[in-house]
Amino acid sequence: CQTYVDFLRPQVDLIIVSSHMGLSADEELIEAVSGIDVVLGGHHHVVLNPPKMIEDPDGRMVPMAHSGSFAKYVGRYDVMVQQCRRIPECVARYGDNPIPDNDWEIVSTEYEVFPIDSSLPSDPRLTDILEDYAQQMDREIDLNQLIGYAPNMVRRFGVTGGDSQLGNMVAQAMRFRRGVGADFALTNTLGIRADFVPGPVSMEQ
């Protein structure tokens, strides 16, 4: 990563990393790479409020924000920036070397998390765009049709760390789908986004 940051740094004012590596990996990235200004991360489905400040190899404090999962929240992160030449600690890092005009530093931040719930009205333009797709899907697929019954919980994760019941079912469905003709099929656990709870299984599930 340091190679890419060093390549970008002379051409940009700020470097913002949009990550999906998780909390510890984001922290390790900041601690190992000089020149990152902000990390906006995800994967562990948590909200970091306030954002965490991690020290990079140059002694700079780099903010790291996570804004939850499944569009339950929208995180807004406002930052105030200033040219390096106006910040004594930043000037000191350059020593006798010239300071580039595009080296800006974050000097203050403000973070706010907005819940996405029923109090938020629908966007009429987006609703209008989706209406045609919804009608076409209703014509072609009955999402309420019951296609099976799960007597027990069918989990997407293997309880022993190996195969999962739902993963095996999805892979078998891919393998035996009409016209596929595959000898074997694979699927990754995180590609399956929910378990089957005991009870009827609908087409939508």
Side-chain angles (χ1 to χ4, degrees):
C1 284
Q2 187 67 63
T3 302
Y4 295 110
V5 172
D6 292 342
F7 172 74
L8 290 170
R9 204 64 179 147
Q11 308 170 61
V12 301
D13 298 331
L14 295 172
I15 292 182
I16 300 172
V17 174
S18 178
S19 157
H20 196 263
M21 301 190 299
L23 293 167
S24 57
D26 283 346
E27 290 187 25
E28 292 168 7
L29 175 69
I30 296 171
E31 291 168 348
V33 178
S34 299
I36 295 172
D37 293 293
V38 183
V39 172
L40 304 177
H43 180 55
H44 281 141
H45 298 185
V46 298
V47 176
L48 282 182
N49 192 11
K52 198 168 183 179
M53 304 298 289
I54 310 295
E55 186 174 354
D56 79 355
D58 292 333
R60 299 161 64 246
M61 300 307 294
V62 178
M64 178 181 82
H66 285 224
S67 298
S69 61
F70 301 115
K72 292 178 181 177
Y73 304 95
V74 169
R76 172 174 169 164
Y77 207 175
D78 295 319
V79 299
M80 181 179 289
V81 297
Q82 204 169 43
Q83 279 188 302
C84 176
R85 64 184 71 254
R86 299 177 180 272
I87 307 170
E89 312 89 75
C90 187
V91 172
R93 288 202 302 270
Y94 280 93
D96 296 329
N97 298 315
I99 302 172
D101 290 336
N102 72 331
D103 192 350
W104 292 73
E105 292 285 324
I106 293 173
V107 292
S108 68
T109 65
E110 185 175 333
Y111 180 67
E112 191 170 359
V113 178
F114 299 91
I116 306 301
D117 54 26
S118 58
S119 66
L120 192 71
S122 298
D123 184 326
R125 291 173 300 175
L126 185 59
T127 302
D128 187 55
I129 290 171
L130 293 175
E131 183 61 29
D132 288 344
Y133 295 97
Q135 290 182 9
Q136 182 177 345
M137 183 175 286
D138 286 342
R139 286 194 299 269
E140 296 184 5
I141 304 172
D142 180 6
L143 294 178
N144 295 318
Q145 179 186 357
L146 298 181
I147 58 172
Y149 185 85
N152 304 301
M153 176 75 78
V154 185
R155 298 195 178 277
R156 62 188 178 125
F157 295 115
V159 293
T160 61
D163 287 6
S164 73
Q165 297 169 309
L166 197 50
N168 285 337
M169 189 186 83
V170 168
Q172 290 285 69
M174 291 174 2
R175 181 184 172 200
F176 291 115
R177 181 177 172 82
R178 187 183 299 114
V180 172
D183 294 321
F184 65 93
L186 301 172
T187 188
N188 65 305
T189 307
L190 293 177
I192 305 170
R193 304 307 293 177
D195 299 325
F196 280 171
V197 298
V201 177
S202 69
M203 178 68 79
E204 183 174 19
Q205 288 175 295

